[in-house]
């Protein structure tokens, strides 16, 4: 019970890594708010189903992280219903595969809107609550190995994650006086819906696995384990860092 009685908000928690982090946090004793995006019945149902299955108090909270008003309403609701906010995991993210020369302004703004503005708006609203409460807090960003490694065909995604790296490092400095720690988790290839195309194509899957030194895709549970550590009291002296959860992928890429 490493997160006993802490209140945690996790964005994009109806699937994949966010769902895994929410489940682990609840199992560790946290009160969890699972954010899901509006306009998707399956996302709403998945978040509400998860909440119903937890033994600790939990709420499913609707909200588009790329919309300031919805972010403020979501954070207000979490504090109203769960009493406070100790941990915020900015996890919601999207990607668009498009060659740089063909990328449209709409695609660019959509990806940066969720991955970067969403991370900014959610972390800012959460940090304001934590500062008001006193007593510190934990901000985690779900970046990617592509905060560092280029990925042809995904320029908007890589730009967003590279920017989240600097967002995190700056916040670590600015929020340290408030004892709010700020860190990134950089997943490699994790078996979640965002990778559906690769997971469902045996050739692409074999190629992807061949690049991972540990020889397998990661799981949401692999990521949740690191998130639990970073959210816990044990990580009180850790701030401004990126934790790679990538089976060695980053090291492999830098070899060549
Ligand atoms: P996923 O598609 O299952 O999860 C993304 C979640 O974000 C979904 O639940 C989606 O509904 C939600 N979301 C999208 N737009 C939103 C919005 N505007 N407001 C609120 N929620 C929104 O994929 P995942 O792999 O679990 O991705 C989670 C995070 O991990 C993302 O930030 C992604 O970039 C990052 N990541 C994933 C991998 C991987 O291999 N799976 C690797 C590196 C980084």
């Amino acid at each position: 019970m490493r997160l006993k009685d802490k209140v945690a908000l996790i964005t994009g928690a109806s699937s994949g890594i966010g769902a895994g982090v929410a489940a682990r946090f609840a199992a560790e004793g946290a009160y969890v708010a699972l954010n899901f995006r509006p306009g998707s019945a399956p996302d709403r149902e998945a978040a509400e189903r998860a909440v119903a299955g937890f033994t600790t108090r939990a709420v499913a909270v609707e909200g588009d992280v790329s919309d300031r008003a919805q972010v403020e309403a979501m954070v207000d609701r979490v504090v109203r219903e769960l009493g406070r906010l100790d941990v915020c995991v900015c996890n919601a993210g999207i990607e668009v595969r498009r060659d740089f020369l063909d990328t449209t302004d709409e695609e660019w703004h959509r990806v940066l809107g969720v991955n970067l503005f969403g991370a900014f708006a959610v972390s800012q609203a959460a940090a304001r609550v934590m500062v008001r409460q006193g007593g510190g807090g934990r901000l985690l960003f779900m970046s990617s190995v592509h905060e560092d490694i280029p990925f042809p065909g995904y320029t908007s995604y890589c730009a967003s994650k590279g920017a989240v790296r600097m967002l995190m490092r700056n916040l670590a400095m600015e929020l340290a006086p408030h004892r709010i720690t700020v860190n990134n988790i950089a997943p490699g290839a994790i078996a979640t819906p965002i990778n559906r195309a690769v997971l469902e194509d045996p050739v692409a899957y074999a190629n992807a696995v061949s690049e991972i030194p540990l020889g397998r895709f990661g799981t949401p549970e692999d990521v949740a384990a690191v998130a639990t550590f970073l959210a816990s009291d044990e990580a009180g002296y850790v701030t401004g860092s990126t934790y790679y959860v990538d089976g060695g992928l980053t090291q492999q890429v830098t070899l060549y």
Side-chain angles (χ1 to χ4, degrees), residues 14-15 17 37 43 64-65 91 143 157 161 187-188 190 192-193 195:
S14 55
S15 62
I17 292 170
R37 68 176 152 190
D43 279 18
D64 181 340
V65 299
N91 167 77
S143 71
Y157 183 78
K161 297 296 185 177
I190 311 296
T192 72
N195 286 322

Side-chain angles (χ1 to χ4, degrees), residues 120-144:
F120 158 67
V122 172
S123 63
Q124 187 185 52
R128 284 173 172 162
V129 173
M130 291 169 187
V131 169
R132 215 166 45 233
Q133 286 172 170
R138 298 275 186 273
L139 296 179
L140 299 182
F141 295 104
M142 206 57 69
S143 71
S144 166

